[in-house]
Every structure is written in C-alpha cells, then in structure tokens.
Amino acid sequence: MSVFVSAAELNERIQAGQKQTVIAALWEPKAGKAWSKFQSEHIPTALYCDPSVQLAGMPGRRVGRNPMPSIDTVAKAAAGWGIEAGRPVVVYDGGNGLFAARAWWVLRWAGVQDVHILDGGFAAWDGQGLPTIAGPGSVVVPREAQLTAGSLPAATMDDVRAFEGVLIDARGARRFAGRRETLDLRAGHIPGAKNLPVNDLFDDDTNTVKDADAIRESFAQIGVTQNTDPASVIAYSGSGNHSALLLAALEHAGLPLLTHYVGGWSQWSANRDNPVASDM
C-alpha cells in the first residue's frame, strides 16, 4: 500500500478479511461529539482515537497548542488498538486529512512502520456508499507495543532558532503573510520560511491527494527535490497537523521525509523573544 489508500482499496481489504488495524482519528470542538459520531457510524473494524488525548500532550504557552505526546502515551494507545509488527495500520478522519496525518506521523515517529492514510477520509468512504456500522468499535486483544521515540526526525524550538537550512510553512497563504490569525498569539511566520500551503497538494473538491508528479513539482518550486538532504529542511505549521499532512504527501510522492517542527507557529509566536516576519 502507498501512504494514501483509496476507499475502494480499504473496503476490499476489509471484505477479504485482511489483517490490519483501522483507526478513526476524529475531533470535534464540542467535547464528546466526536465519540458520539463514531458510535453512530464508522467504517467496519475501526477503533476510536481521540487526537487531543492520544496524539498530543498538554497544550500551553511554552509548548504550543498540540505538543508531542510522550512515548508512554503513544505506547498505551497503540497497545489498546492492538498494533503489532507486521500488521498494517490505516488511519482516517472526517475528510480533511489533518488528524489522520497527525496519527500517521506520531505513530511513525514512535516506530510503527506500516502506517497509511485513507485518502479523502470518511467523506470519501461515505460518498461512495461503502458500508458503515454503529457501536463502540471492534474488540481487540491489547498488545505490548514496543515503540521507540524519535524514529522520525523532529526539531525543537531551539533547533529552529539555530537552523540555517530551508524552513517550510504548511499553513495557508493568508496566515503565513500575517493577514489573518485567529488561533495563535501573533500573526506572521518564522523569518526566512517559505510557504507551501498543504491544501495545494490536495484536490479542492475531494480532499484527495494529487498525483506524485504534481506534488514533486510543488516542492521543486521551493527547492526540495529527491536529492535534498532531509536534515537541511524543516517543515512546520500552526501546531503540527497541516505539516504532518504535508510530510505524508511528500513521502507519497517519493521525496525524502523532512524534519518536523511539531510545536510550530503556536509555540514560536508565543515566545516574545522569537522574531516574527510578515508581508504586511
């Protein structure tokens, strides 16, 4: 399987009884609503994931809106989902890909190798009239997950301060330019960063990933190619979700997986000692 799996392919694997773990990474602003939605309708065999609890640490001014979870938090979640070596994992969300990508990156960072994203999420599944079920999700036998923190490269705020390579900001153009900011304390971007909105890598109507050639062309325009040293580029977004989706698209296109600054703009902008750039 590629990084992104189509709804048709996932359905075929489920119907054939393929060995795999399907995880629904769902989030809603109102507490409890995502869990209620999952119980009312989800993909067969899926297990529920709460991104705010299982894929992030405690938010705060010093660490950002969605800081990295501890490896113990990820290991506990992975054990509850029955994740084990040799068993593929497919993650989905409502359709925008952000929380599925968060799960994809966190699990890969923790050493789970075979992780995939449902292309277009539940919206694509439901739009094709594929079967759904209700209830609390499948019952699994918990596993003793042997995970290793740092299996994917991650950068701290201090790393970014000292960095002399290429910074990629995956947020939308208006937030990058400093013309619009409703989530974080200051508007703008990290000085020297280049903007590649992650939405440019996905179809506007279906939220499905573009073909590999189109993605490689978008990255080439900011100087990232197959010959790029992954350590020479750091990607970030507001708090690690948009940038995780950008990195998933990057790997889907066969490009080197770059370093990820998960704290992102939410952490950087909250520190008054950090410089800010804008196009205003």
Side-chain angles (χ1 to χ4, degrees), residues 92-164:
Y92 75 90
D93 57 21
N96 65 14
L98 297 178
F99 297 104
R102 176 80 180 201
W104 171 83
W105 195 88
V106 168
L107 289 172
R108 290 284 308 280
W109 168 84
V112 183
Q113 297 295 321
D114 202 0
V115 189
H116 311 270
I117 297 170
L118 176 60
D119 200 13
F122 187 77
W125 182 277
D126 194 45
Q128 295 178 35
L130 296 174
T132 61
I133 61 174
S138 295
V139 177
V140 298
V141 177
R143 308 287 182 180
E144 191 65 35
Q146 300 296 322
L147 303 184
T148 304
S151 295
L152 289 184
T156 66
M157 184 166 63
D158 286 339
D159 293 332
V160 176
R161 284 170 171 163
F163 189 60
E164 296 182 351

Side-chain angles (χ1 to χ4, degrees), residues 178-280:
R179 292 193 295 270
R180 179 180 183 272
E181 185 56 70
T182 60
L183 297 173
D184 296 316
L185 295 178
R186 289 190 284 171
H189 57 267
I190 300 175
K194 299 180 179 181
N195 189 211
L196 176 52
V198 70
N199 289 346
D200 290 355
L201 308 179
F202 291 79
D203 183 90
D204 291 337
D205 297 323
T206 64
N207 284 327
T208 53
V209 69
K210 291 183 177 179
D211 65 73
D213 287 341
I215 294 170
R216 285 193 289 266
E217 175 59 28
S218 292
F219 276 99
Q221 290 177 7
I222 57 171
V224 176
T225 69
Q226 290 176 318
N227 297 321
T228 297
D229 177 3
S232 69
V233 186
I234 293 176
Y236 75 93
S237 56
S239 58
N241 294 344
H242 289 77
S243 41
L245 187 57
L246 179 138
L247 293 173
L250 179 97
E251 186 165 87
H252 171 75
L255 294 169
L257 199 52
L258 309 175
T259 302
H260 193 191
Y261 173 34
V262 177
W265 184 248
S266 64
Q267 182 187 37
W268 183 273
S269 64
N271 189 309
R272 290 293 175 181
D273 293 332
N274 288 332
V276 169
S278 73
D279 298 339
M280 300 296 288

